[in-house]
Amino acid sequence: MLDGRVSNPEDPFAFLPVEKRYFPSVPLESMPLWQSARLTDKTGFTHLYLKDDTRQLTGSLKDRASLMVAAFARREGIREITVASTGNAGSSMAGIGAAAGLQITLFLPKSAPKAKMIQALQYGARVIPVDGNYDRAFDLSLTYSQKGKTLSRNTAYNPLTIEGKKTVSLEIFRQLKDIPDMIFVPVGDGVILSGVYKGFRDLKHQGLTNRIPHVVAVQAEGSDAIAQALKKGSFTPITASTLADSISVDIPRNGYYALKQLKENDGSCVTVTDKEILQAQKELASTSGLFAEPAAAASYAGFLKIKQSIPKDKKVVLLITGNGLKDTGSAQKGILFPNQAISSLEALDHD
Ligand SMILES: *Cc1c(COP(=O)(O)O)cnc(C)c1O
């Protein structure tokens, strides 16, 4: 696809396999890359950036992949898309699909956060709750899409998801006018990770840089298949358990590819506990004003865990992949909820 020179390296769409005119009519601008003065003060890192994908149309980075798949479907005259999801890929495909006028069928574990399911239903998708985990939903949706001849958006199964997600790196490069030194990426299936690498590889291929940043894959301690595999050299089965639902997977569907890229590019892994994730979520929100869902706050948790080993002048990007309002149930575990309602201000004197 990118054998030749892209026409305009400033335009992320120039790097994509489907022309911009097939994308649905939603805002296609870059997501903000911003610095929080208070976060800089707190951490001492003068070049710490938040890549803020909480502001995507449906509230997560998954929109990058959904847009790519929707554009492809429109170009090919495909009417229906099927997807299995822990929540965000589904609500994203539902929203982007609505904008594109496509029919979306969604297989969602019944334990998925309510807000994500509600989002998908509001967007008008057909939602099929699955009595089982994400891996079960994944398998059922694949069989369904093969039988019904619909296009599957399943992450790692449809390579367009990586092509879509790579735009995050193209944007960072354009916004920073440089390649960052480090980038923290929350990892479940490893597709965002692969998209991040693909974007920087494309830039290198185009002669726009000769560097690939150091990528730190952040996993939840209870869902650390890729981190384990990087350490041991091979995958061993796990049963995932973490409140960060978006990165909770037994079998990383893009595991081998993600592992290969981490090895080839000197990437590393760090694991964080649910407690560390909740603390990081709270600290990020109360310091910067950015409310991230647990999987997205894992980027910050991973950064906090290893920041002692990073020189403070390094350019560090945290990928903030999803909005905190998507899973208030988990967020509630990291705060003290005021139980008493008052009817007069005198009641406050006893605080
Ligand atoms: C999907 C998702 C991830 C993880 O992406 P993978 O490609 O599965 O590794 C991280 N954060 C959020 C908010 C997500 O929705």
Side-chain angles (χ1 to χ4, degrees):
M1 182 222 17
L2 273 174
D3 291 341
R5 295 264 149 208
V6 300
S7 50
N8 176 11
E10 281 291 300
D11 177 10
F13 284 87
F15 290 78
L16 298 179
V18 179
E19 299 72 20
K20 196 170 179 178
R21 67 175 183 279
Y22 293 106
F23 283 71
S25 74
V26 297
L28 296 170
E29 287 92 45
S30 299
M31 290 296 114
L33 179 77
W34 57 286
Q35 281 191 284
S36 155
R38 292 194 67 227
L39 206 58
T40 298
D41 284 350
K42 190 169 189 98
T43 59
F45 279 74
T46 44
H47 300 286
L48 179 63
Y49 297 88
L50 303 165
K51 179 61 175 171
D52 187 356
D53 265 55
T54 67
R55 302 197 205 180
Q56 292 280 4
L57 190 65
T58 78
S60 84
L61 186 143
K62 297 290 194 288
D63 283 7
R64 297 177 184 277
S66 300
L67 282 164
M68 189 72 249
V69 174
F72 175 81
R74 278 170 53 143
R75 191 183 72 188
E76 302 301 319
I78 296 165
R79 303 274 316 127
E80 186 181 348
I81 294 174
T82 306
V83 61
S85 167
T86 61
N88 282 340
S91 54
S92 168
M93 195 67 250
I96 300 298
L102 297 163
Q103 194 187 324
I104 308 300
T105 302
L106 173 56
F107 290 77
L108 210 63
K110 66 173 199 256
S111 62
K114 239 209 164 117
K116 298 182 183 182
M117 196 177 287
I118 291 168
Q119 245 188 319
L121 290 164
Q122 283 283 355
Y123 290 133
R126 178 173 164 226
V127 176
I128 304 174
V130 173
D131 192 6
N133 60 9
Y134 168 58
D135 299 86
R136 179 90 189 117
F138 196 99
D139 294 338
L140 287 176
S141 84
L142 270 192
T143 311
Y144 174 88
S145 65
Q146 281 154 4
K147 262 196 202 148
K149 300 194 170 42
T150 71
L151 178 65
S152 171
R153 181 224 178 273
N154 279 12
T155 198
Y157 181 79
N158 186 331
L160 288 169
T161 56
I162 292 179
E163 283 301 302
K165 287 175 175 180
K166 78 181 181 186
T167 55
V168 71
S169 302
L170 304 176
E171 288 176 13
I172 290 170
F173 177 65
R174 209 182 34 179
Q175 292 166 319
L176 210 55
K177 297 183 174 55
D178 195 6
I179 298 289
D181 297 303
M182 285 180 108
I183 172 160
F184 286 77
V185 183
V187 172
D189 279 315
V191 177
I192 295 181
L193 181 89
S194 300
V196 165
Y197 274 128
K198 180 67 175 22
F200 289 117
R201 260 205 327 274
D202 279 2
L203 289 165
K204 201 171 163 197
H205 187 71
Q206 290 291 318
L208 297 166
T209 176
N210 52 17
R211 256 181 346 119
I212 301 282
H214 179 159
V215 175
V216 182
V218 185
Q219 292 213 283
E221 213 169 83
S223 177
D224 63 345
I226 291 176
Q228 277 194 35
L230 187 64
K231 218 182 282 168
K232 297 186 205 152
S234 65
F235 281 95
T236 39
I238 63 158
T239 303
S241 164
T242 168
L243 59 72
D245 62 288
S246 299
I247 50 173
S248 180
V249 299
D250 294 353
I251 306 164
R253 297 287 171 164
N254 198 41
Y256 288 100
Y257 192 48
L259 187 64
K260 178 167 177 273
Q261 293 181 83
L262 283 167
K263 281 184 183 160
E264 283 177 6
N265 296 290
D266 273 331
S268 54
C269 283
V270 56
T271 57
V272 289
T273 63
D274 280 3
K275 192 167 162 220
E276 286 166 330
I277 289 174
L278 286 176
Q279 278 167 353
Q281 181 183 35
K282 173 88 190 328
E283 186 172 304
L284 181 64
S286 62
T287 307
S288 72
L290 181 55
F291 183 25
E293 69 164 85
S299 292
Y300 184 50
F303 166 74
L304 291 177
K305 195 138 189 183
I306 63 167
K307 77 175 172 25
Q308 240 71 42
S309 65
I310 310 168
K312 288 210 163 126
D313 60 347
K314 291 288 181 200
K315 286 185 182 158
V316 177
V317 174
L318 309 179
L319 269 201
I320 308 297
T321 45
N323 193 302
L325 291 173
K326 280 170 158 289
D327 184 10
T328 51
S330 294
Q332 199 172 326
K333 296 181 184 144
I335 53 170
L336 274 178
F337 214 70
N339 275 325
Q340 298 270 316
I342 63 158
S343 55
S344 79
L345 283 179
E346 274 88 74
L348 291 179
D349 294 343
H350 304 293
D351 261 8

